[in-house]
Amino acid sequence: DEQQPQAIDQLMAKIGERLDTVDKDPTALEFAMRTAQYLEFSARYDLAREAYGRILDAFSEDPMNSTVVRTSVEYANRRMDLVGQSVLIDGNLIDGRPFPWEALRDKWVLVTFWTSWHPDWPAEYQSIRRHLAGDEAVEVVLVNLDDDRNLVERYLQEHPTSFTMVFNSDADVPGFSSGNAVRCGVEAVPFSLLVDPQGVVVDIHLMGDRLPDAIGQWVHGTQ
């Protein structure tokens, strides 16, 4: 732990060094983005914002990458801005009825964005099921971002779930362009966020081991 601040300082310095060589190093952008994402996923939001800001400055005039970088940084900031703020999740249930987001007030809610085609989804779903299927304190809402509703319905026939499933209410809008995804800055799935009984996001990126840790800390006060 004593070495961690020094290691983070070195990491931030390394980002600067690599970005200074973007004209000569084609891997500089990938390295810098992966490092910023690591900081974001580790909940070091101030450092992540600094890293994303450096990347944006370095590529602001780059005709090949400026648009992609600007969009990625904008979405990253949206994700991090979720923490401490209220969030809206809307859409339809599988039977076509509107999803009653307001009815979940006074409950803890895990919201997970997913697609049927992503190779990590089966393992992530099993993790959610293992940790939360019997936990009455947490409601699980799965927000689907598939473009093809027929594909996801076939998937759900083969892999049924008891969790609440939310679909984009406008079938003509691609999943990652839906209001839910854009508002939450979703660029990749699975992506999870934990919402408290007041409707405020308390944590994001709850995949793998971070899920039970976050549930223990926020919901059950065991961490």
Side-chain angles (χ1 to χ4, degrees):
D1 289 342
E2 293 178 359
Q3 295 178 346
Q4 191 176 62
Q6 181 179 359
I8 292 296
D9 288 343
Q10 292 173 348
L11 191 60
M12 296 301 290
K14 190 67 174 177
I15 292 177
E17 292 174 8
R18 296 293 290 271
L19 291 177
D20 285 342
T21 64
V22 292
D23 292 336
K24 302 176 183 177
D25 184 358
T27 68
L29 176 57
E30 180 181 3
F31 170 83
M33 287 298 294
R34 287 184 179 275
T35 304
Q37 290 164 356
Y38 164 76
L39 293 169
E40 177 191 341
F41 297 169
S42 302
R44 295 180 173 91
Y45 300 128
D46 289 344
L47 291 172
R49 291 180 193 281
E50 180 182 345
Y52 283 123
R54 291 186 184 185
I55 296 168
L56 187 60
D57 289 343
F59 287 90
S60 61
E61 304 299 328
D62 187 323
M64 294 289 292
N65 297 295
S66 60
T67 300
V68 172
V69 168
R70 185 166 57 253
T71 300
S72 290
V73 171
E74 178 183 347
Y75 270 55
N77 284 320
R78 287 184 190 176
R79 292 190 297 271
M80 293 185 287
D81 285 345
L82 290 171
V83 180
Q85 303 295 325
S86 60
V87 64
L88 169 66
I89 302 296
D90 59 14
N92 291 339
L93 301 173
I94 194 167
D95 61 6
R97 290 179 298 137
F99 168 56
W101 175 242
E102 289 300 322
L104 296 182
R105 282 295 179 94
D106 300 326
K107 297 182 180 180
W108 286 93
V109 185
L110 179 77
V111 178
T112 300
F113 293 84
W114 72 288
T115 61
S116 63
W117 48 262
H118 197 284
D120 292 342
W121 175 241
E124 191 59 37
Y125 174 78
Q126 290 304 320
S127 175
I128 294 171
R129 187 171 180 273
R130 183 170 63 254
H131 294 297
L132 293 177
D135 193 333
E136 296 183 356
V138 183
E139 189 84 15
V140 176
V141 174
L142 305 179
V143 181
N144 180 260
L145 297 183
D146 278 75
D147 293 341
D148 189 331
R149 178 68 178 267
N150 293 324
L151 283 178
V152 71
E153 288 186 352
R154 286 199 295 269
Y155 179 90
L156 291 174
Q157 288 176 355
E158 298 176 6
H159 306 87
T161 180
S162 60
F163 296 136
T164 300
M165 189 71 62
V166 176
F167 298 91
N168 185 15
S169 56
D170 188 345
D172 294 329
V173 177
F176 283 85
S177 297
S178 66
N180 289 323
V182 173
R183 281 193 300 272
C184 295
V186 182
E187 290 183 288
V189 291
F191 172 66
S192 292
L193 50 104
L194 183 63
V195 183
D196 74 8
Q198 288 72 49
V200 174
V201 177
V202 298
D203 212 343
I204 61 174
H205 293 304
L206 304 180
M207 279 70 73
D209 292 339
R210 288 210 66 215
L211 176 59
D213 289 347
I215 297 300
Q217 173 188 351
W218 293 103
V219 181
H220 300 298
T222 58
Q223 298 292 327

mmCIF file of all heavy atoms in Angstrom, residues 139-175:
data_model
loop_
_atom_site.group_PDB
_atom_site.id
_atom_site.type_symbol
_atom_site.label_atom_id
_atom_site.label_comp_id
_atom_site.label_asym_id
_atom_site.label_seq_id
_atom_site.Cartn_x
_atom_site.Cartn_y
_atom_site.Cartn_z
ATOM 1 N N GLU A 139 -32.466 -5.775 -6.315
ATOM 2 C CA GLU A 139 -33.194 -6.079 -7.544
ATOM 3 C C GLU A 139 -32.200 -6.013 -8.703
ATOM 4 O O GLU A 139 -31.380 -5.083 -8.789
ATOM 5 C CB GLU A 139 -34.290 -5.049 -7.765
ATOM 6 C CG GLU A 139 -35.244 -5.375 -8.881
ATOM 7 C CD GLU A 139 -36.360 -6.315 -8.450
ATOM 8 O OE1 GLU A 139 -36.551 -6.490 -7.237
ATOM 9 O OE2 GLU A 139 -37.027 -6.856 -9.349
ATOM 10 N N VAL A 140 -32.255 -7.005 -9.587
ATOM 11 C CA VAL A 140 -31.362 -7.035 -10.746
ATOM 12 C C VAL A 140 -32.148 -6.656 -11.996
ATOM 13 O O VAL A 140 -33.196 -7.250 -12.290
ATOM 14 C CB VAL A 140 -30.722 -8.426 -10.931
ATOM 15 C CG1 VAL A 140 -29.864 -8.454 -12.202
ATOM 16 C CG2 VAL A 140 -29.867 -8.785 -9.716
ATOM 17 N N VAL A 141 -31.639 -5.666 -12.724
ATOM 18 C CA VAL A 141 -32.251 -5.221 -13.978
ATOM 19 C C VAL A 141 -31.220 -5.381 -15.085
ATOM 20 O O VAL A 141 -30.147 -4.772 -15.035
ATOM 21 C CB VAL A 141 -32.711 -3.750 -13.883
ATOM 22 C CG1 VAL A 141 -33.217 -3.259 -15.242
ATOM 23 C CG2 VAL A 141 -33.794 -3.600 -12.821
ATOM 24 N N LEU A 142 -31.544 -6.191 -16.079
ATOM 25 C CA LEU A 142 -30.649 -6.440 -17.203
ATOM 26 C C LEU A 142 -31.129 -5.625 -18.403
ATOM 27 O O LEU A 142 -32.243 -5.823 -18.889
ATOM 28 C CB LEU A 142 -30.627 -7.934 -17.548
ATOM 29 C CG LEU A 142 -30.270 -8.876 -16.401
ATOM 30 C CD1 LEU A 142 -30.300 -10.331 -16.888
ATOM 31 C CD2 LEU A 142 -28.898 -8.546 -15.824
ATOM 32 N N VAL A 143 -30.290 -4.712 -18.864
ATOM 33 C CA VAL A 143 -30.650 -3.825 -19.982
ATOM 34 C C VAL A 143 -29.987 -4.349 -21.247
ATOM 35 O O VAL A 143 -28.761 -4.311 -21.382
ATOM 36 C CB VAL A 143 -30.203 -2.378 -19.707
ATOM 37 C CG1 VAL A 143 -30.617 -1.469 -20.867
ATOM 38 C CG2 VAL A 143 -30.799 -1.868 -18.401
ATOM 39 N N ASN A 144 -30.799 -4.835 -22.162
ATOM 40 C CA ASN A 144 -30.261 -5.442 -23.374
ATOM 41 C C ASN A 144 -29.932 -4.406 -24.432
ATOM 42 O O ASN A 144 -30.702 -3.477 -24.683
ATOM 43 C CB ASN A 144 -31.259 -6.450 -23.947
ATOM 44 C CG ASN A 144 -30.729 -7.101 -25.209
ATOM 45 O OD1 ASN A 144 -31.096 -6.718 -26.312
ATOM 46 N ND2 ASN A 144 -29.838 -8.053 -25.047
ATOM 47 N N LEU A 145 -28.760 -4.586 -25.089
ATOM 48 C CA LEU A 145 -28.323 -3.656 -26.138
ATOM 49 C C LEU A 145 -28.145 -4.350 -27.493
ATOM 50 O O LEU A 145 -27.461 -3.833 -28.371
ATOM 51 C CB LEU A 145 -27.015 -2.972 -25.728
ATOM 52 C CG LEU A 145 -27.069 -2.094 -24.482
ATOM 53 C CD1 LEU A 145 -25.714 -1.428 -24.240
ATOM 54 C CD2 LEU A 145 -28.162 -1.042 -24.570
ATOM 55 N N ASP A 146 -28.765 -5.506 -27.668
ATOM 56 C CA ASP A 146 -28.733 -6.149 -28.984
ATOM 57 C C ASP A 146 -29.460 -5.282 -30.008
ATOM 58 O O ASP A 146 -30.479 -4.647 -29.703
ATOM 59 C CB ASP A 146 -29.424 -7.506 -28.922
ATOM 60 C CG ASP A 146 -28.523 -8.603 -28.382
ATOM 61 O OD1 ASP A 146 -28.295 -8.631 -27.154
ATOM 62 O OD2 ASP A 146 -28.049 -9.411 -29.186
ATOM 63 N N ASP A 147 -28.963 -5.298 -31.235
ATOM 64 C CA ASP A 147 -29.647 -4.584 -32.313
ATOM 65 C C ASP A 147 -30.843 -5.382 -32.839
ATOM 66 O O ASP A 147 -31.818 -4.797 -33.316
ATOM 67 C CB ASP A 147 -28.684 -4.325 -33.480
ATOM 68 C CG ASP A 147 -27.589 -3.343 -33.106
ATOM 69 O OD1 ASP A 147 -27.766 -2.608 -32.114
ATOM 70 O OD2 ASP A 147 -26.549 -3.318 -33.794
ATOM 71 N N ASP A 148 -30.746 -6.713 -32.778
ATOM 72 C CA ASP A 148 -31.763 -7.592 -33.348
ATOM 73 C C ASP A 148 -32.590 -8.209 -32.217
ATOM 74 O O ASP A 148 -32.104 -9.079 -31.486
ATOM 75 C CB ASP A 148 -31.102 -8.678 -34.189
ATOM 76 C CG ASP A 148 -32.104 -9.496 -34.991
ATOM 77 O OD1 ASP A 148 -33.263 -9.640 -34.539
ATOM 78 O OD2 ASP A 148 -31.725 -10.010 -36.066
ATOM 79 N N ARG A 149 -33.823 -7.765 -32.053
ATOM 80 C CA ARG A 149 -34.685 -8.282 -30.984
ATOM 81 C C ARG A 149 -34.952 -9.777 -31.155
ATOM 82 O O ARG A 149 -35.075 -10.516 -30.178
ATOM 83 C CB ARG A 149 -35.985 -7.493 -30.974
ATOM 84 C CG ARG A 149 -37.024 -7.936 -29.943
ATOM 85 C CD ARG A 149 -36.586 -7.659 -28.529
ATOM 86 N NE ARG A 149 -37.634 -8.051 -27.598
ATOM 87 C CZ ARG A 149 -38.576 -7.237 -27.137
ATOM 88 N NH1 ARG A 149 -38.602 -5.965 -27.539
ATOM 89 N NH2 ARG A 149 -39.485 -7.672 -26.291
ATOM 90 N N ASN A 150 -35.063 -10.250 -32.399
ATOM 91 C CA ASN A 150 -35.318 -11.669 -32.627
ATOM 92 C C ASN A 150 -34.182 -12.539 -32.099
ATOM 93 O O ASN A 150 -34.420 -13.605 -31.520
ATOM 94 C CB ASN A 150 -35.524 -11.939 -34.121
ATOM 95 C CG ASN A 150 -36.795 -11.305 -34.650
ATOM 96 O OD1 ASN A 150 -37.797 -11.251 -33.955
ATOM 97 N ND2 ASN A 150 -36.737 -10.813 -35.879
ATOM 98 N N LEU A 151 -32.944 -12.062 -32.290
ATOM 99 C CA LEU A 151 -31.792 -12.828 -31.811
ATOM 100 C C LEU A 151 -31.812 -12.959 -30.293
ATOM 101 O O LEU A 151 -31.577 -14.046 -29.746
ATOM 102 C CB LEU A 151 -30.490 -12.171 -32.263
ATOM 103 C CG LEU A 151 -30.072 -12.367 -33.715
ATOM 104 C CD1 LEU A 151 -28.774 -11.605 -33.989
ATOM 105 C CD2 LEU A 151 -29.874 -13.850 -34.010
ATOM 106 N N VAL A 152 -32.090 -11.859 -29.616
ATOM 107 C CA VAL A 152 -32.050 -11.900 -28.157
ATOM 108 C C VAL A 152 -33.222 -12.706 -27.600
ATOM 109 O O VAL A 152 -33.085 -13.404 -26.591
ATOM 110 C CB VAL A 152 -32.005 -10.479 -27.557
ATOM 111 C CG1 VAL A 152 -33.315 -9.753 -27.715
ATOM 112 C CG2 VAL A 152 -31.629 -10.544 -26.083
ATOM 113 N N GLU A 153 -34.359 -12.675 -28.270
ATOM 114 C CA GLU A 153 -35.483 -13.477 -27.799
ATOM 115 C C GLU A 153 -35.185 -14.966 -27.954
ATOM 116 O O GLU A 153 -35.549 -15.767 -27.081
ATOM 117 C CB GLU A 153 -36.759 -13.091 -28.544
ATOM 118 C CG GLU A 153 -37.291 -11.719 -28.120
ATOM 119 C CD GLU A 153 -38.627 -11.382 -28.740
ATOM 120 O OE1 GLU A 153 -39.078 -12.141 -29.623
ATOM 121 O OE2 GLU A 153 -39.210 -10.354 -28.351
ATOM 122 N N ARG A 154 -34.523 -15.346 -29.046
ATOM 123 C CA ARG A 154 -34.114 -16.751 -29.188
ATOM 124 C C ARG A 154 -33.100 -17.123 -28.113
ATOM 125 O O ARG A 154 -33.141 -18.219 -27.556
ATOM 126 C CB ARG A 154 -33.533 -16.986 -30.591
ATOM 127 C CG ARG A 154 -34.585 -17.014 -31.683
ATOM 128 C CD ARG A 154 -34.075 -17.698 -32.932
ATOM 129 N NE ARG A 154 -32.985 -16.957 -33.547
ATOM 130 C CZ ARG A 154 -33.162 -16.018 -34.480
ATOM 131 N NH1 ARG A 154 -34.390 -15.690 -34.867
ATOM 132 N NH2 ARG A 154 -32.139 -15.404 -35.024
ATOM 133 N N TYR A 155 -32.196 -16.192 -27.824
ATOM 134 C CA TYR A 155 -31.198 -16.437 -26.778
ATOM 135 C C TYR A 155 -31.890 -16.665 -25.441
ATOM 136 O O TYR A 155 -31.527 -17.582 -24.682
ATOM 137 C CB TYR A 155 -30.238 -15.250 -26.695
ATOM 138 C CG TYR A 155 -29.178 -15.389 -25.623
ATOM 139 C CD1 TYR A 155 -27.951 -15.985 -25.924
ATOM 140 C CD2 TYR A 155 -29.400 -14.947 -24.326
ATOM 141 C CE1 TYR A 155 -26.972 -16.131 -24.942
ATOM 142 C CE2 TYR A 155 -28.435 -15.083 -23.351
ATOM 143 C CZ TYR A 155 -27.220 -15.681 -23.661
ATOM 144 O OH TYR A 155 -26.259 -15.822 -22.676
ATOM 145 N N LEU A 156 -32.878 -15.860 -25.126
ATOM 146 C CA LEU A 156 -33.562 -15.975 -23.840
ATOM 147 C C LEU A 156 -34.421 -17.231 -23.758
ATOM 148 O O LEU A 156 -34.662 -17.750 -22.665
ATOM 149 C CB LEU A 156 -34.415 -14.735 -23.592
ATOM 150 C CG LEU A 156 -33.623 -13.447 -23.338
ATOM 151 C CD1 LEU A 156 -34.554 -12.252 -23.262
ATOM 152 C CD2 LEU A 156 -32.799 -13.568 -22.054
ATOM 153 N N GLN A 157 -34.870 -17.740 -24.894
ATOM 154 C CA GLN A 157 -35.578 -19.016 -24.881
ATOM 155 C C GLN A 157 -34.638 -20.150 -24.480
ATOM 156 O O GLN A 157 -35.033 -21.079 -23.777
ATOM 157 C CB GLN A 157 -36.183 -19.294 -26.256
ATOM 158 C CG GLN A 157 -37.379 -18.412 -26.594
ATOM 159 C CD GLN A 157 -37.901 -18.653 -27.996
ATOM 160 O OE1 GLN A 157 -37.314 -19.416 -28.784
ATOM 161 N NE2 GLN A 157 -39.005 -17.992 -28.343
ATOM 162 N N GLU A 158 -33.391 -20.041 -24.921
ATOM 163 C CA GLU A 158 -32.398 -21.059 -24.579
ATOM 164 C C GLU A 158 -31.773 -20.820 -23.215
ATOM 165 O O GLU A 158 -31.295 -21.753 -22.564
ATOM 166 C CB GLU A 158 -31.294 -21.088 -25.648
ATOM 167 C CG GLU A 158 -31.788 -21.462 -27.037
ATOM 168 C CD GLU A 158 -30.686 -21.374 -28.075
ATOM 169 O OE1 GLU A 158 -29.518 -21.132 -27.688
ATOM 170 O OE2 GLU A 158 -30.983 -21.537 -29.276
ATOM 171 N N HIS A 159 -31.757 -19.545 -22.783
ATOM 172 C CA HIS A 159 -31.144 -19.178 -21.499
ATOM 173 C C HIS A 159 -32.134 -18.310 -20.712
ATOM 174 O O HIS A 159 -31.925 -17.108 -20.567
ATOM 175 C CB HIS A 159 -29.839 -18.420 -21.721
ATOM 176 C CG HIS A 159 -28.855 -19.134 -22.597
ATOM 177 N ND1 HIS A 159 -28.871 -19.015 -23.977
ATOM 178 C CD2 HIS A 159 -27.845 -19.982 -22.295
ATOM 179 C CE1 HIS A 159 -27.893 -19.755 -24.489
ATOM 180 N NE2 HIS A 159 -27.261 -20.349 -23.491
ATOM 181 N N PRO A 160 -33.200 -18.902 -20.209
ATOM 182 C CA PRO A 160 -34.207 -18.109 -19.489
ATOM 183 C C PRO A 160 -33.656 -17.518 -18.198
ATOM 184 O O PRO A 160 -32.709 -18.045 -17.612
ATOM 185 C CB PRO A 160 -35.310 -19.129 -19.201
ATOM 186 C CG PRO A 160 -34.624 -20.460 -19.232
ATOM 187 C CD PRO A 160 -33.531 -20.335 -20.246
ATOM 188 N N THR A 161 -34.248 -16.402 -17.785
ATOM 189 C CA THR A 161 -33.806 -15.732 -16.567
ATOM 190 C C THR A 161 -35.011 -15.220 -15.797
ATOM 191 O O THR A 161 -36.042 -14.882 -16.393
ATOM 192 C CB THR A 161 -32.869 -14.554 -16.883
ATOM 193 O OG1 THR A 161 -32.478 -13.933 -15.655
ATOM 194 C CG2 THR A 161 -33.542 -13.533 -17.781
ATOM 195 N N SER A 162 -34.877 -15.162 -14.491
ATOM 196 C CA SER A 162 -35.934 -14.606 -13.654
ATOM 197 C C SER A 162 -35.707 -13.124 -13.368
ATOM 198 O O SER A 162 -36.566 -12.465 -12.776
ATOM 199 C CB SER A 162 -36.014 -15.376 -12.327
ATOM 200 O OG SER A 162 -34.788 -15.286 -11.618
ATOM 201 N N PHE A 163 -34.552 -12.600 -13.779
ATOM 202 C CA PHE A 163 -34.258 -11.192 -13.555
ATOM 203 C C PHE A 163 -35.081 -10.316 -14.510
ATOM 204 O O PHE A 163 -35.449 -10.748 -15.605
ATOM 205 C CB PHE A 163 -32.776 -10.898 -13.749
ATOM 206 C CG PHE A 163 -31.878 -11.582 -12.769
ATOM 207 C CD1 PHE A 163 -30.702 -12.197 -13.184
ATOM 208 C CD2 PHE A 163 -32.192 -11.618 -11.422
ATOM 209 C CE1 PHE A 163 -29.860 -12.822 -12.286
ATOM 210 C CE2 PHE A 163 -31.355 -12.242 -10.506
ATOM 211 C CZ PHE A 163 -30.194 -12.854 -10.935
ATOM 212 N N THR A 164 -35.314 -9.082 -14.112
ATOM 213 C CA THR A 164 -36.046 -8.137 -14.955
ATOM 214 C C THR A 164 -35.231 -7.799 -16.193
ATOM 215 O O THR A 164 -34.053 -7.450 -16.101
ATOM 216 C CB THR A 164 -36.353 -6.849 -14.179
ATOM 217 O OG1 THR A 164 -37.151 -7.178 -13.038
ATOM 218 C CG2 THR A 164 -37.094 -5.846 -15.052
ATOM 219 N N MET A 165 -35.861 -7.909 -17.360
ATOM 220 C CA MET A 165 -35.187 -7.646 -18.626
ATOM 221 C C MET A 165 -35.793 -6.407 -19.274
ATOM 222 O O MET A 165 -37.002 -6.312 -19.431
ATOM 223 C CB MET A 165 -35.331 -8.845 -19.563
ATOM 224 C CG MET A 165 -34.500 -8.768 -20.813
ATOM 225 S SD MET A 165 -32.722 -8.964 -20.494
ATOM 226 C CE MET A 165 -32.690 -10.628 -19.803
ATOM 227 N N VAL A 166 -34.936 -5.455 -19.659
ATOM 228 C CA VAL A 166 -35.387 -4.207 -20.267
ATOM 229 C C VAL A 166 -34.845 -4.105 -21.689
ATOM 230 O O VAL A 166 -33.648 -4.344 -21.925
ATOM 231 C CB VAL A 166 -34.929 -2.988 -19.441
ATOM 232 C CG1 VAL A 166 -35.332 -1.686 -20.138
ATOM 233 C CG2 VAL A 166 -35.526 -3.038 -18.037
ATOM 234 N N PHE A 167 -35.728 -3.738 -22.610
ATOM 235 C CA PHE A 167 -35.364 -3.566 -24.014
ATOM 236 C C PHE A 167 -35.596 -2.115 -24.425
ATOM 237 O O PHE A 167 -36.458 -1.424 -23.863
ATOM 238 C CB PHE A 167 -36.205 -4.472 -24.913
ATOM 239 C CG PHE A 167 -36.029 -5.933 -24.649
ATOM 240 C CD1 PHE A 167 -36.857 -6.581 -23.743
ATOM 241 C CD2 PHE A 167 -35.047 -6.655 -25.284
ATOM 242 C CE1 PHE A 167 -36.705 -7.932 -23.482
ATOM 243 C CE2 PHE A 167 -34.880 -8.003 -25.036
ATOM 244 C CZ PHE A 167 -35.715 -8.642 -24.130
ATOM 245 N N ASN A 168 -34.857 -1.687 -25.444
ATOM 246 C CA ASN A 168 -35.067 -0.357 -26.009
ATOM 247 C C ASN A 168 -36.492 -0.259 -26.542
ATOM 248 O O ASN A 168 -36.962 -1.158 -27.248
ATOM 249 C CB ASN A 168 -34.049 -0.123 -27.130
ATOM 250 C CG ASN A 168 -34.119 1.278 -27.691
ATOM 251 O OD1 ASN A 168 -34.722 2.168 -27.097
ATOM 252 N ND2 ASN A 168 -33.505 1.482 -28.842
ATOM 253 N N SER A 169 -37.178 0.813 -26.208
ATOM 254 C CA SER A 169 -38.567 0.965 -26.646
ATOM 255 C C SER A 169 -38.682 1.268 -28.137
ATOM 256 O O SER A 169 -39.746 1.090 -28.722
ATOM 257 C CB SER A 169 -39.266 2.063 -25.837
ATOM 258 O OG SER A 169 -38.555 3.283 -25.939
ATOM 259 N N ASP A 170 -37.598 1.717 -28.763
ATOM 260 C CA ASP A 170 -37.595 2.027 -30.194
ATOM 261 C C ASP A 170 -36.729 0.997 -30.914
ATOM 262 O O ASP A 170 -35.500 1.065 -30.868
ATOM 263 C CB ASP A 170 -37.063 3.437 -30.439
ATOM 264 C CG ASP A 170 -37.214 3.876 -31.883
ATOM 265 O OD1 ASP A 170 -37.470 3.007 -32.748
ATOM 266 O OD2 ASP A 170 -37.084 5.082 -32.150
ATOM 267 N N ALA A 171 -37.366 0.044 -31.557
ATOM 268 C CA ALA A 171 -36.652 -1.045 -32.218
ATOM 269 C C ALA A 171 -35.776 -0.568 -33.374
ATOM 270 O O ALA A 171 -34.893 -1.297 -33.820
ATOM 271 C CB ALA A 171 -37.645 -2.095 -32.724
ATOM 272 N N ASP A 172 -36.007 0.639 -33.879
ATOM 273 C CA ASP A 172 -35.231 1.155 -35.004
ATOM 274 C C ASP A 172 -33.915 1.807 -34.567
ATOM 275 O O ASP A 172 -33.098 2.170 -35.415
ATOM 276 C CB ASP A 172 -36.051 2.175 -35.790
ATOM 277 C CG ASP A 172 -37.254 1.540 -36.475
ATOM 278 O OD1 ASP A 172 -37.141 0.353 -36.849
ATOM 279 O OD2 ASP A 172 -38.285 2.216 -36.620
ATOM 280 N N VAL A 173 -33.733 1.971 -33.265
ATOM 281 C CA VAL A 173 -32.502 2.585 -32.751
ATOM 282 C C VAL A 173 -31.555 1.481 -32.297
ATOM 283 O O VAL A 173 -31.929 0.656 -31.455
ATOM 284 C CB VAL A 173 -32.806 3.530 -31.572
ATOM 285 C CG1 VAL A 173 -31.518 4.101 -30.996
ATOM 286 C CG2 VAL A 173 -33.730 4.659 -32.032
ATOM 287 N N PRO A 174 -30.322 1.416 -32.839
ATOM 288 C CA PRO A 174 -29.365 0.395 -32.411
ATOM 289 C C PRO A 174 -29.128 0.452 -30.905
ATOM 290 O O PRO A 174 -29.205 1.526 -30.284
ATOM 291 C CB PRO A 174 -28.094 0.750 -33.190
ATOM 292 C CG PRO A 174 -28.571 1.530 -34.376
ATOM 293 C CD PRO A 174 -29.780 2.288 -33.892
ATOM 294 N N GLY A 175 -28.824 -0.702 -30.323
ATOM 295 C CA GLY A 175 -28.711 -0.805 -28.874
ATOM 296 C C GLY A 175 -27.770 0.189 -28.224
ATOM 297 O O GLY A 175 -28.112 0.832 -27.226
#
